Amino acid sequence: MLSMRLLGLALASLSFSTAFVPPTVRSGLASASTDVSPACKLSDSAAPVETMSLPRWFQHEISITAPSRGCHLITSDVLKVINKDISQIKIGMANLFVQHTSASLSINENADPDVRRDMEVALNKIVPASWNRDGTFLHTMEGDDDMPGHVKSSLMGVSLNIPIKNGRLALGTWQGIYLNEHRDQGGWGGGHNRRIVITLQGQS
């Protein structure tokens, strides 16, 4: 009887630990497991764990002055700045943000320049400059192209998110990045200098 009591005390004094095995990544699939067992058992049967690299971040700023009001292809300007850094990212995202209220960014056809001309014509029909003179707009002190430019900027948007795949922007074959200048003063020499912040994030 005494020996059984001693055995019970001995068992009660044994300590057990709960160990959490973090998610492992194998062939793109993540799995998490919780193993409740003596710590010594974990050390005996531990399997190698593949860990993903830490996220990488890069940021650049470019300044572009459009040669005229309208939609302008700037893909090459963007790539020229980010090529070195983006090559280090296997999977991730690129964000482009234009810091202005009368310009915008968009993605559209990169081949036929008539598309860019037609985009400007369409935008002018959607938000005509005549609204500055017929009482539609109240904010008219900065010219006929100002308030329409603000509306177009909101319609088109000031930022883009483009996936990064194997060190490249995952644009389609016919897709290009547009800077849309919505004011007549956006010409070379004394025009609006548009600043674009480009942020890259992802893993190698």
Side-chain angles (χ1 to χ4, degrees):
M1 186 70 178
L2 181 58
S3 61
M4 291 296 292
R5 191 172 299 171
L6 290 173
L7 179 60
L9 290 171
L11 287 173
S13 67
L14 288 176
S15 63
F16 291 82
S17 63
T18 301
F20 176 70
V21 180
T24 58
V25 180
R26 294 186 180 88
S27 302
L29 298 176
S31 62
S33 62
T34 303
D35 184 14
V36 181
S37 58
C40 60
K41 183 177 179 182
L42 278 177
S43 62
D44 290 339
S45 60
V49 177
E50 298 176 23
T51 58
M52 295 184 71
S53 62
L54 292 174
R56 302 178 68 86
W57 291 81
F58 303 96
Q59 193 167 76
H60 301 273
E61 182 177 310
I62 60 175
S63 295
I64 299 176
T65 303
S68 63
R69 175 170 148 178
C71 304
H72 305 278
L73 192 62
I74 62 166
T75 312
S76 60
D77 300 274
V78 172
L79 293 178
K80 193 181 303 181
V81 173
I82 67 171
N83 260 341
K84 180 181 177 182
D85 293 334
I86 199 173
S87 64
Q88 303 177 51
I89 298 175
K90 185 174 183 180
I91 180 171
M93 190 70 68
N95 174 267
L96 286 75
F97 180 81
V98 61
Q99 298 177 303
H100 301 277
T101 60
S102 55
S104 63
L105 298 171
S106 61
I107 292 177
N108 220 301
E109 181 170 327
N110 60 14
D112 187 354
D114 285 346
V115 173
R116 300 192 288 278
R117 177 265 179 197
D118 292 347
M119 288 288 292
E120 172 65 10
V121 170
L123 286 171
N124 291 335
K125 288 184 178 293
I126 294 169
V127 192
S130 61
W131 286 0
N132 243 41
R133 301 183 296 274
D134 66 7
T136 302
F137 290 148
L138 298 179
H139 178 76
T140 60
M141 297 296 291
E142 298 179 53
D144 283 352
D145 61 344
D146 182 58
M147 189 59 214
H150 294 321
V151 177
K152 293 171 186 176
S153 176
S154 290
L155 290 175
M156 301 293 279
V158 294
S159 69
L160 297 173
N161 285 320
I162 306 173
I164 299 172
K165 181 179 180 181
N166 295 324
R168 299 168 62 90
L169 293 179
L171 291 167
T173 302
W174 306 109
Q175 287 183 318
I177 302 168
Y178 285 15
L179 168 63
N180 308 304
E181 174 56 65
H182 301 309
R183 299 208 63 183
D184 293 322
Q185 293 91 334
W188 297 109
H192 293 304
N193 192 9
R194 303 307 193 181
R195 297 181 309 276
I196 301 173
V197 178
I198 307 168
T199 305
L200 309 176
Q201 61 164 315
Q203 292 176 306
S204 55

